[in-house]
Structures are given as structure tokens and as C-alpha cells.
Amino acid sequence: MTLTRARPIPVARREPRGAGGGDHAASSEVERLAVDLLNAVRGEVRFDAGSRALYATDASNYRQVPIGVVIPRDTDDVVAAVEVCRAHDVPIVSRGGGTSLAGQGCNVAVVIDHSKYHNQLLELNADEGWARVRPGIVLDELRDAAEEHHLTFGPDPATHDHCTLGGMIGNNSCGVHSVMAGRTEDNVLELEVLTYDGLRLVVGPTDDAALEQIIGTGGRVAEIYGGMRDLRDRHADEIRARYPEIPRRVSGYNLPQLLPENGFDVAKALVGSESTLVTVLAAKLRLVPSPPGRTLVALGYPDVYAAADDVPRVMESGCIACEGMDQRLVRDIRSRGIHPDALGLLPDGTGFLLVEFGADDRDASDAAARTFVRDLEKRHSDAKAKLYDDPADEQKLWKVRESGLGATAMVPDKANTFPGWEDSAVPPERLGDYLRELRKTWDRYGYRADMYGHFGQGVLHCRVDFDLTSADGLAAFRRYLEEASALVVRMGGSLSGEHGDGQARGELLPIMFGDRLVGAFEELKDLWDPRGRMNPGKVVRPNAILANLRLGVDYDPPRPRTWFRYPEDDGSFGHAAFRCVGVGECRRHDDGVMCPSYMVTREEKHSTRGRAHLLFELLNGEELEGGWRNKDVEEALDLCLACKGCKGDCPVNVDMATYKAEFRAHHYAGRLRPRAAYSMGLIYWWAGLAAHAPRLANAAAHAPVLSSVAKIIGGIAPEREIPRFAEQTFRAWWRERGGATTGRRAGSRATGGPLTSGDRSSPAGGDSARTAGGTATARRVILWADTFNDNFHPQVLRAAVRVLEDAGCEVIVPEERLCCGRPLYDWGFLGQAKRLLTTVLAELRDEIRAGVPIVGLEPSCVSVFRDEAPNLLYGHQDARRLADQTHTLTEYLASLDGYRPPSLEGQALVHGHCHHKSVLDFESELAVLRAAG
């Protein structure tokens, strides 16, 4: 529940685990802070337990429960919120997409979330090549606008469709195409910033004359600029000596930007400061030409080290991107079932580079790519190259690379992996040696990790299977970080090449920079933030690496008895709730299936990530009270559409539809559910009653007064029209037709008995099996008469009969009226759902065991048999068989040898059902439509 303007909601005083940055203020002080923020800010102020739990972590290993959350409407709101926090002397931290991997996105502070409202593109000057933006704007929204002028913002991390520019400025983000455009700092022209003490100013490059003038005017601005000049002059030699000159040095404050040779560029110096120095209010950004013609070449090498060794020669080609990955990543992606068709596009090898060329048109980029391939073949006999003509294939391969973080987080039958040493960078010419030495280090510690990253700029990404829950494991983790830091520094590299320092690497900065420069970082921090209230404990005077861990030695989630068995999570609902790694793919705005509720509301609690974090906090038991009865979790899950988009789109396959069903089964146990649960959730039974008198049911549902009453009773919005029941159900039509039936009660109406082994020679139930007399018999197939088509749209099922019979099938329909129970799951009626599934298995036992295929027209019913049934009835062999032999209509037709649909040439707009696209095979749908013309 959002904290409203009517009255503040009391916040219980609570000691968050590993608070590190300071305990929560006393309850009365927090209430006064909340009231003052409510009076000063037009946007949203949230101090309730649910909102604080939502923002307690990011994509890192860390967890710190915030004091409260402010979602500003505009810049004035940001200024007002900081002013109130200053008056109460409480810390603040700005947040964008919340995907930080080093812990800089969470703190015991007031979180200012810019992403919902403070997200405008203020100006785009195509002629001069720049844009002005608010910090909450998503990168792809800027890039889409710039592409209309063949321009782009160069840095593009894998989170480009949901990360914000403010977060990129905070982290000094890079990405695939930093090869052609550099880091974020290289593309920032000016920043409008706000200090904790209320100073608001625009900063950028400052020549000597301007610098002297600013210092001469006196006041707070002169104090900051004069202090930076003095700091620079005292440490100039050390800055030049200790900062590695490599493409991807992200660690530490950007002190080199204050050197005279770099123009005393204050804006660039503030980039990468992770909300520890200033709050960014707006940014003027450089836009660079975006090559319209692009061509991808994939290279296969004997191993990833050979691929890394070849990077310097590859970069001589003038490519605009050069990404690398090893065979372990490919193997893990394949085991997860992610982009299986794309993996087949890779050339032979066990180490790979993806190299992209850009030009004014595709012909020119193709020519550059072909020249590169010819040169490669001459100089590297062990390398294999593939050049792609289809942009769709290229996009698939980029998706493989972008899925690296999620694909390696939770691999079946392997230990979980974590960030912590996930973005080190070395000079590209030393990358091969670095990978070899790092692998030896992993072997000594018994660690496993895949290798991938921005190889063209010497960046390695990896998630390592650190043990973060035992004392010995944590001690080894700490030792490893020191050893790996020393290794990367010996190689002339940087602890971070993209994700920043935060808490994960702040303690390690002396290894890279030495104590004097770390002291200079503290000086810079004190100049801009004398009270130390900007994101404390990150980068400078950092919290200990092992403090504030989301796991740690105390991590021991309860294992409540559950309806579902969660076989992919070792039977643990706690592990399922921990599955989200925080990368925020569910916060996309206009692509994919996931997450429709977030796309509409732009609310963290209505994203898959937000819901997963709340479930984790619920089991954690510190911030959210009431167990299964908790209202914050129920409110967040209420808008979940159970579309299963997350199971298909989420890189770690978070299955929020299942978690919602599980939670609601316990939440409403022994209690009344909302009215809609009984009108919609029990539709199978209502439809069965209506089938006896459909005209009467329709009259009652659509009569002027009775319709309104029915909607009120059923919890249906008054704007909606209640669907009309068909006057004749499909099953009634089937009986009149004399159609074949099957099941325990089918008796003499059943056609034949179970199939022989010869009938099961193919997934389709056998190609026209032969009888003893040599006569061909049709393939038998069960057509699933789902509740909605049977009772509301029987013509669809009748049409399916025609199609299947045209394909040479003998169609049979269950004698008994059966239901998969799909509507029950959304409301947590899992006992009833389990009974319906058990009935299905009993009624169709012989056919299931004989391998007779089942064809469903409603994807949500098919997904119950394929997904929920094996989970809810885990270990039941018939449930497993049912899952294996249930198909959508197009899946079944596509499996039939020699089947060709009739010609239906024309244009069709195909809107895929959410379950069809997320957990089933939607490609078969398109294949059959294409075959039909």
C-alpha cells in the first residue's frame, strides 16, 4: 500500500540484517520525515514495509532495507525531496533501472526512483549531434529517437531496453558498441547536478580562465572547484601513473578528467561516481552516427584463449563490435533451452568471437566483412568464420550473447553463480594471458564459471559459483577477490570494466590505486558531500565486502509445505523465490511477453522482479510480516496476469504464475476469496450448469437489471459484457454426429482399444498404421474439448475436427466432461485443480499409456498439461506422459509426415497467446501458416 497524503503509516522499528550504513531512525523520526516529504513532494512517497522491501536489493549480492522511497514527478520534486532529507540529516541514493551488480543501487537511505516519471527526452539536436535527457529515461527510448536521424548514443549495455541514462551515468556504463563510441563518460557533454547541501549547477569542461573566474567569485561553488583544482595539482603525477590507459577502466573516481590535458571536465569527472557525490537532474549527451548497414561475422576458435589472443588483430579490421564467449557458456545456454535455434548458427569451435561491421549501407558492411573473413583465413588456419545474410539470424546471435548473465546464474544440476568478480578489464592484447591465469585461479579455488564479454576492449564477464552461505566459503571468497585483484593489476587492468565498484569492489581499490589516490577519492567525496549522506558506504569509505550480504551465514529460508513440488529448485519454494537475479528484463516497455503489468504501470511491484523480491523478503521474515497472509505480497501479485511471459522471457525463468497460485492457495486457505474468484475461477462448473439451459443463462446475464446484479455478484467490471453461452456445446454436437469417444466410461462408444506399439512409431501417434489385413487405419488423436471453446465458441472445435480429419486423423473426444482447471490456478484453488487433473489422468489412463496424442486449441490448457501438471503431480508417471504427448494444433500438424495444409493465400495478423509464446512452440504456428500461404 502506498503511503498516502491523508496520514503517515507508522513504520515499525526494525533492525535490518547487515544494515552497515546505519540503523533505521526511530519510528517517530521516520514518521516526521515521511510527513515532511508528503507535504513537499507532488510525486509518490512510500514508507510502508512493502515498498521498502521492494527496494532492498538490486542485481548484486547485497541487501539493505531503505528508510523509504520517493518517486518524484519532476525535477522540482527531486530538489524538494533532497531538501527535506537534508533537514532530517538522512542519506539518499538515486535509482534508475535498479540493475546495479556491485551494490550501489541499495542502501539504508531514502531511495529516489527516477524511472517512473522523471524520464523525459528534453531536446534532440540532430544537426549538432546531442540530446538532453532526464535521468530516468530508458536508453532505448533515446536511441529510438536518435535513430530517426541515423544517430545513436554509443554505449549500449545488455540491459539497453530497460536501463536508464541516469544509471548509466552513475556507473559509467559501456556495452557492445563502446568500440565505436567509448564509455558513457566519453559521451557526456554537460550535467545538471544537485548537491546534498542544495547547490544546483551545470557542469562540463572548464578552461583555465573560466576556472579562475569561478574560484574568484567565492562561495560554495568556488569551494568545490578550488578544492578539485588543489586536489588535482597535488595528485597529478600519481593520477597519470596509477590510472591504466585501457579502453575499459571504470573503477575509481574519474580524476584524470580534472587534469589540464583533459580540460578540467567536471561533468566527465562525476560520471561513474555512483550517486555518492551528486544527484543528476539532467544530462546533455553526445550522439554519434549509427551505421545503417551492419553485418555480423561469427568466428570459431579451438578454445576461448585462442579467441582472446586474436582480438588485437581482429580489432585492426575497423569493426564496431567484438564480443567473445566460451563453449561453457554455449553449453549452459543450450541446457537452459535458451535460443536453441541460434546456437546452431555458430561455426565450429569451442571459443567464439562475434564481430560486427558497420557502413553506410548493407553492401558496404558486407564487403568489409568479406574482406575480413578472407584475411582471417589467410592468417589463422584454425579459425572458422560464418558471415550472416539474414538480419534475423544476426539478432538471434546477439540475443545469445546478451543472455549471458541470466543464462549462467542458475544452470540445471549446477551450483548457483553470483556476481562479485564479474567485469574485470585488462589491455586487449593481454586478454588471452589473463583468461588463462584466471582459469588457473578458479581451478585452485574449485570455482566454476563461464567466460564471455566485451573482448574487443579486454572486458571479461562471468558469474562464479562462490559459496556465500558458509563461513569457510565467505573466507575463500574474500581471499579470492584479493588474489584476482592483484592479478588484474599485474596485467595492467581495472577491477571493474563496466559495472562500477559499489560495495563489491570498494574495499579493493587500494590494490589498484594505492592509498594516496584512495585518499584523493575521499577528498573529492568530502568536497561534494561534506556530510557523507550521498549513498554512504559505496566506493569511498566502503562497507566491508562481506557486510550486508543478501545471503550470508544466517541465510536459512524456511521450507514450507507447498502444493507445487518445484523440481527445478530442489523442491524449495525458498529457492524459487531467490531465483530472480535482478537484471530487470521484466522492466522492458515495448518488447516481448514479459511483463505486461509493469509496461502499463511502470511500478516496480508490478514487475516480475519486484514480485520475486517481495516473495524473497516474505520468506526472509524480517521486513514483511504475516507469512502467507501478507497483504503487500497479495497486492503485488493481484495484477499479475499469470501470462507466464516471465517463464519464457526471464533469463532465469522465474515462473511468477506458479508462485502466485502457490501464494494464493495459502493466503486464502480457510478464508473467502474475492468475488471474481468464484465467478471466473469456477467457470467450469458454472458453464456445466448453463449448458442445460443456455438461453435462460444468457437472458439472465444480459437483461438490463439482472446483468448489473450478476456483475456485482461476480465481481465483474460494469463496462464488461458477460460472454454468451453457446446454445449447443461442442460435446453435444459431437454426440449428435456420432463421434468417437474415449475414457473409462466410454463403453461401446469408444473406437477401438489402445494402440499397438506399431501405432506409436512417431510423435504423432504413428503414421497410418497397418492392420493384419493390410488396410491403412487413420492416426488416432484426442481433441481436448476445453471449457471455453466447448461452451462459448464450439465452432472453433468443430473447425479443428475438419482440419484434423483432412490431415488423415481419426478424432476422438473424451466421453466425460473434463477440465484442465486453468482458471483455478489464478485464484489459488490448487486442491480443486489437483483433483481435476487426477480425474483427467484416470479417465484417459489407457490412451495416455498407449501414447495417443492429445491436441488442444487453447494454449493455456496445453500449458497446464505441459507445465503445471508435472509440477503439481510430481513423480506421477502418467502426468509426465500427458505432458509429453500434449500438443497445440499446429505443433501436431507440423509433426505429421507429408502433411500440407490447404492453400489460404493472403495476409494474416497473428497475435500470439501469451502461454503459446512463453512456454509452448509458437514457431510451429508460424510454420503452418506459412505453409498455407
Side-chain angles (χ1 to χ4, degrees), residues 634 638 660-669 673 826-828:
E634 165 59 20
D638 186 47
K660 174 183 180 179
E662 184 74 63
F663 175 83
R664 282 190 154 177
H666 300 280
H667 184 76
Y668 287 115
R673 288 166 167 81
D826 200 41
W827 298 101

Side-chain angles (χ1 to χ4, degrees), residues 86-151:
R86 180 172 66 253
H88 287 265
D89 197 32
V90 297
I92 62 172
V93 57
S94 284
R95 180 157 158 152
T99 60
S100 298
L101 283 152
Q104 57 268 65
C106 58
N107 214 321
V108 183
V110 171
V111 174
I112 302 177
D113 183 350
H114 298 259
S115 64
K116 185 176 181 180
Y117 302 121
H118 200 215
N119 53 19
Q120 293 74 36
L121 171 59
L122 301 173
E123 188 176 1
L124 194 156
N125 189 318
D127 293 335
E128 297 181 14
W130 56 265
R132 287 185 67 247
V133 301
R134 293 295 184 205
I137 188 173
V138 169
L139 170 59
D140 271 2
E141 293 177 357
L142 170 61
R143 294 206 305 164
D144 289 345
E147 283 290 352
E148 296 179 11
H149 308 279
H150 303 296
L151 298 171

